[in-house]
Amino acid sequence: ALLLYFKNPNKFSTQVIFFIVFALTTIASLFAGNRIPLFLTILILIIILFYEKTFRKALVVLFVTFFAAFSYLLISNKNISFHYKIFALKSNQIVNYFKIKLSNEELKIIENTHIKEFETGSLTWKQNKLFGGGIKSFYFNCKNVSSVALNVRGATNCNSHPHNYYLEIATELGLAGIVLTISIFSLIFYLALKKIHDYKTNSNEKRILLSFFLIFFAEIFPFKTTGSFFTTSNSTFLFIILSFIVGLIFSKKEKIYEK
C-alpha cells in the first residue's frame, strides 16, 4: 500500500515497480501456503483496482499472471495441489461446524485447530458474557471449560489467548467490550470511506488515506489468526495505524489569505 505514495503513478517506472513488488508478494504467499494472507493480498489488490485508475493496467496484468501461475502449479506441483486440497477440506469442516452450531446439534470430536480455537473462545466467553473475565484472563478461564468435543487425548486448546482479536476481546471484555470495539472500527471505516469518496479530497490525500486504510482493513480482518490484542506488538502497530487514519480523516489545510 505504501506504493500509493508515488507522486507520479502514471510513470512507466512506477507501474513496473508496482507490478514487481505485488507480484513477488502474491507469488510468495502462494508458495508459502499462507491462505488468509494470500486471500487478503488479492482482496486488497481488488480494492486498489476499484479506487486507483492509474494502477489498473498493471493490476490486470498481475491478476492474469497470478491466476495462470496458480492454475499451472495446482496441476503440475503435487505438494501445492495437496496443500490446497487440505485447505479446501478444512474450510468445509469450518462451514459444517457453523451449520452444526446454528442447528444446535451435538458437536462431535474436533480435530480442526481453527475450530478448536473458536469453540474454546466461544465456551470461555459464555462464562462471563456481559463484561468478560478481565484482560489477560483467557487462559485461566479457559481451563474451566468442559467439553467432550474439545477433550481430544486429554487436552483442550487453552493458550494464553485465543489467536483472534474479536474472540479475545469477547472473552476478556464481554459483549460490552466487543460491541464498543466493533462500533469504533465501523465508525473509522465509515469516516475513512467518506473522506476517500469526498470530491473535495485531492488525489494525493486519497492515495495516502487509502494506503493506511488498507493496512487497517487487513489487520482487523475478522477471519484470520492474530496475536494478542492486549499484549503483543500487533496492538501497538494497530493503534499507530489508527492514529494516522484518524489524523488524515480530520486533517484540514489552513488557508492563507493575503491582506
Side-chain angles (χ1 to χ4, degrees):
L2 293 177
L3 286 170
L4 299 179
Y5 280 112
F6 280 103
K7 292 182 179 179
N8 298 311
N10 286 311
K11 288 178 64 176
F12 179 74
S13 58
T14 303
Q15 296 281 329
V16 171
I17 293 172
F18 180 87
F19 175 82
I20 292 173
V21 170
F22 277 95
L24 289 174
T25 303
T26 309
I27 297 299
S29 297
L30 171 61
F31 276 105
N34 297 323
R35 297 174 292 271
I36 293 298
L38 177 62
F39 170 77
L40 283 173
T41 299
I42 294 172
L43 186 58
I44 286 171
L45 290 176
I46 292 172
I47 295 172
I48 295 174
L49 182 68
F50 178 78
Y51 282 104
E52 281 292 324
K53 295 180 181 178
T54 52
F55 290 113
R56 284 180 181 171
K57 290 181 180 179
L59 281 171
V60 169
V61 175
L62 175 61
F63 280 127
V64 171
T65 304
F66 169 75
F67 286 112
F70 182 67
S71 301
Y72 173 75
L73 288 170
L74 280 179
I75 296 171
S76 62
N77 191 303
K78 291 183 179 180
N79 290 331
I80 291 178
S81 178
F82 176 76
H83 184 82
Y84 282 93
K85 282 181 181 178
I86 295 297
F87 168 64
L89 174 63
K90 289 184 176 181
S91 298
N92 187 55
Q93 289 174 345
I94 292 171
V95 171
N96 288 334
Y97 164 77
F98 283 107
K99 286 181 179 178
I100 291 171
K101 294 290 286 185
L102 290 172
S103 62
N104 291 320
E105 296 179 18
E106 183 180 351
L107 193 64
K108 297 179 181 180
I109 292 176
I110 301 170
E111 297 290 354
N112 188 305
T113 302
H114 297 291
I115 296 177
K116 278 187 180 183
E117 289 178 348
F118 187 89
E119 180 69 5
T120 303
S122 173
L123 294 174
T124 304
W125 166 72
K126 287 181 179 179
Q127 297 178 48
N128 302 281
K129 292 183 179 181
L130 191 56
F131 296 108
I135 293 175
K136 299 182 183 179
S137 66
F138 175 77
Y139 176 75
F140 304 101
N141 292 323
C142 174
K143 290 193 295 184
N144 298 323
V145 168
S146 177
S147 171
V148 174
L150 284 170
N151 289 321
V152 180
R153 300 182 183 89
T156 59
N157 212 45
C158 292
N159 297 304
S160 57
H161 58 87
H163 295 92
N164 180 276
Y165 287 153
Y166 300 93
L167 279 176
E168 182 179 14
I169 293 169
T171 57
E172 299 185 359
L173 297 180
L175 275 175
I178 196 66
V179 169
L180 179 61
T181 301
I182 292 175
S183 298
I184 292 172
F185 286 170
S186 299
L187 178 61
I188 292 171
F189 253 75
Y190 168 74
L191 293 174
L193 288 173
K194 184 179 178 182
K195 180 84 171 183
I196 291 170
H197 285 276
D198 190 345
Y199 72 93
K200 295 180 182 178
T201 308
N202 65 50
S203 58
N204 286 332
E205 288 178 314
K206 288 181 180 180
R207 198 167 286 125
I208 294 171
L209 179 56
L210 180 62
S211 65
F212 283 105
F213 174 78
L214 292 174
I215 297 170
F216 174 65
F217 169 75
E219 185 62 22
I220 66 167
F221 188 73
F223 304 112
K224 73 170 189 173
T225 302
T226 67
S228 171
F229 186 82
F230 298 107
T231 58
T232 68
S233 58
N234 289 345
S235 57
T236 303
F237 175 73
L238 177 59
F239 287 114
I240 289 174
I241 295 300
L242 276 175
S243 66
F244 275 104
I245 292 175
V246 173
L248 289 165
I249 288 171
F250 294 103
S251 65
K252 293 183 179 179
K253 290 186 176 181
E254 296 183 1
K255 294 183 179 180
I256 301 174
Y257 297 94
E258 295 182 1
K259 294 183 178 180

